[in-house]
């Protein structure tokens, strides 16, 4: 069974940066498209960024494009989300997810537990 564990969240000032990591175990992530979702208190979980198996394609939410960068290292079974120019509205719990290229952007087959990101003004 594929297990995903996020890390790297924390408290950061507006305008700052954070780099989230997603470590996979149990199976090789090379067989999956990967992505990140986030959820603010009282709101629905929203799509953030996605990357295909070979990193040939990426897909970003309009709210984060040009500020966030998703990347992966299949040899290390790792996925990353570099977040720059952070805004208070970026605050939320960030979740790593896995699936095929289409499924990962709607109903991922696998989820991590999430890591909290708080951006102060």
């Amino acid at each position: 069974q594929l297990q995903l564990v996020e890390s790297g969240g924390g408290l950061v000032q507006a305008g700052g940066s954070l780099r989230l990591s997603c470590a996979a175990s149990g199976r090789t992530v090379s067989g999956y498209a990967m992505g990140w979702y986030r959820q603010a208190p009282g709101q629905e979980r929203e799509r953030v960024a996605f990357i295909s198996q070979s990193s040939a394609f990426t897909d970003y939410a309009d709210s984060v494009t040009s500020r966030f960068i998703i990347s992966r290292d299949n040899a290390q079974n790792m996925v990353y989300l570099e977040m720059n120019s952070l805004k208070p509205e970026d605050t939320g719990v960030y979740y790593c997810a896995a699936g095929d290229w289409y499924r990962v952007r709607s109903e991922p087959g696998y989820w991590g537990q999430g890591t909290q990101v708080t951006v102060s003004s």
Side-chain angles (χ1 to χ4, degrees):
Q1 183 176 339
L2 179 65
Q3 183 177 3
L4 305 174
V5 180
E6 303 93 336
S7 62
L11 176 65
V12 64
Q13 298 282 345
S17 298
L18 282 175
R19 188 178 190 236
L20 306 183
S21 298
C22 174
S25 61
R27 301 185 69 179
T28 303
V29 299
S30 62
Y32 301 91
M34 304 293 294
W36 293 89
Y37 287 72
R38 68 186 181 189
Q39 187 171 24
Q43 299 187 21
E44 295 293 316
R45 190 170 299 186
E46 64 177 338
R47 300 160 61 190
V48 177
F50 304 91
I51 187 166
S52 62
Q53 290 180 234
S54 63
S55 302
F57 304 103
T58 56
D59 187 19
Y60 296 92
D62 289 344
S63 59
V64 307
T65 188
S66 81
R67 298 190 298 120
F68 290 13
I69 302 172
I70 187 170
S71 61
R72 65 190 298 162
D73 185 341
N74 287 344
Q76 297 296 321
N77 262 11
M78 296 289 292
V79 182
Y80 305 97
L81 183 68
E82 182 181 342
M83 305 184 293
N84 303 302
S85 301
L86 283 163
K87 306 173 181 179
E89 52 262 45
D90 293 318
T91 293
V93 178
Y94 283 69
Y95 299 89
C96 182
D100 67 37
W101 181 236
Y102 300 98
R103 193 78 170 182
V104 75
R105 293 175 288 172
S106 57
E107 295 184 14
Y110 303 93
W111 293 93
Q113 294 294 312
T115 185
Q116 176 70 42
V117 173
T118 303
V119 184
S120 62
S121 60

